[in-house]
Amino acid sequence: PTAVLRIMNNSTKPMFPSLLHLPPYLTADVSPERLNPGHSGKITLTLNSEKVHGYGLTQTNVYLAQQLGEKVNSETEIGISTVILPDMKGVSEAYAPLMELSDSVLNIRFDGKAKKTGEIIIRNNGRITLEISSLQMFTTGLKVTLGKRTLNPGESTKLKVTAFAAELAKVRTRPRVLMITNDPKHAKVVIKVQTQQ
């Protein structure tokens, strides 16, 4: 898979854009290599998924530089997230687990408290065992606990999400929880966490 970053030179000097701190699973192609003042270009990022270890969420930060050898700083930081899913080819949906969530959005009101916990009920309505192989957060400021990772047909469990107000106030992206399961219809499940003071 690829993603394109569009860039523009707003300065009065030519720049030679590049991305710093690229992990081994990402490559970047800059076009054009020299960007004159007032001109735009693009950086095409390509993911080599074979070099990403394990299923689920992998996150990294890269840094846009105007010249090679430039120091990194938070103003040029670009967060990159990738989710690797298990291969579900050949899995019959008729004889598969079927996950049902009580809600896909968790609303948490702090009401002046430093932390607050919300719950989502997970149920297996399928014919075979549901397995939750990975449970991760896209941001800091959340803590999750899961009653059971394996649910037989008809069983339920609770996913508890605790949100911390001070940490969430510092994050730049929306808080979300990622689940990877063996349900072919819900191999990747993202639960949005919406908070209010």
Side-chain angles (χ1 to χ4, degrees):
T2 61
V4 176
L5 294 172
R6 305 229 175 253
I7 55 176
M8 183 166 181
N9 183 355
N10 286 329
S11 72
T12 57
K13 297 178 181 177
M15 63 184 277
F16 300 86
S18 64
L19 287 178
L20 306 177
H21 293 211
L22 275 177
Y25 56 84
L26 288 176
T27 56
D29 179 48
V30 181
S31 175
E33 290 181 9
R34 175 190 167 115
L35 205 55
N36 289 320
H39 287 76
S40 61
K42 65 180 182 177
I43 300 175
T44 304
L45 283 162
T46 303
L47 171 70
N48 182 349
S49 57
E50 291 178 355
K51 292 186 178 180
V52 179
H53 300 291
Y55 298 125
L57 176 67
T58 300
Q59 293 180 301
T60 191
N61 292 320
V62 297
Y63 299 86
L64 180 63
Q66 295 180 29
Q67 314 285 339
L68 277 174
E70 203 172 87
K71 286 187 178 179
V72 298
N73 65 66
S74 60
E75 289 181 10
T76 61
E77 183 181 80
I78 300 167
I80 298 176
S81 301
T82 183
V83 177
I84 305 294
L85 300 177
D87 185 4
M88 293 289 185
K89 291 176 188 165
V91 177
S92 168
E93 289 186 11
Y95 295 97
L98 181 59
M99 183 171 69
E100 178 187 337
L101 298 177
S102 59
D103 209 332
S104 62
V105 178
L106 188 59
N107 291 296
I108 296 178
R109 290 183 63 95
F110 287 110
D111 294 325
K113 295 185 179 176
K115 68 176 184 177
K116 207 77 183 279
T117 300
E119 283 183 358
I120 287 184
I121 306 296
I122 302 170
R123 181 176 171 81
N124 180 10
N125 290 330
R127 296 188 177 189
I128 65 168
T129 302
L130 172 71
E131 295 173 4
I132 300 168
S133 58
S134 180
L135 190 61
Q136 298 167 293
M137 284 81 58
F138 281 90
T139 63
T140 60
L142 298 177
K143 177 185 170 189
V144 295
T145 54
L146 184 63
K148 293 173 71 176
R149 284 187 171 269
T150 304
L151 297 175
N152 291 321
E155 282 189 330
S156 300
T157 192
K158 288 180 183 177
L159 170 67
K160 293 183 180 180
V161 180
T162 302
F164 298 87
E167 289 182 52
L168 286 173
K170 298 173 189 172
V171 299
R172 295 193 294 182
T173 57
R174 282 174 287 185
R176 293 166 292 162
V177 176
L178 170 71
M179 279 194 294
I180 306 294
T181 79
N182 65 332
D183 176 354
K185 287 187 176 179
H186 305 98
K188 176 182 111 173
V189 178
V190 177
I191 298 169
K192 297 174 184 171
V193 180
Q194 295 181 344
T195 58
Q196 292 179 337
Q197 298 296 329

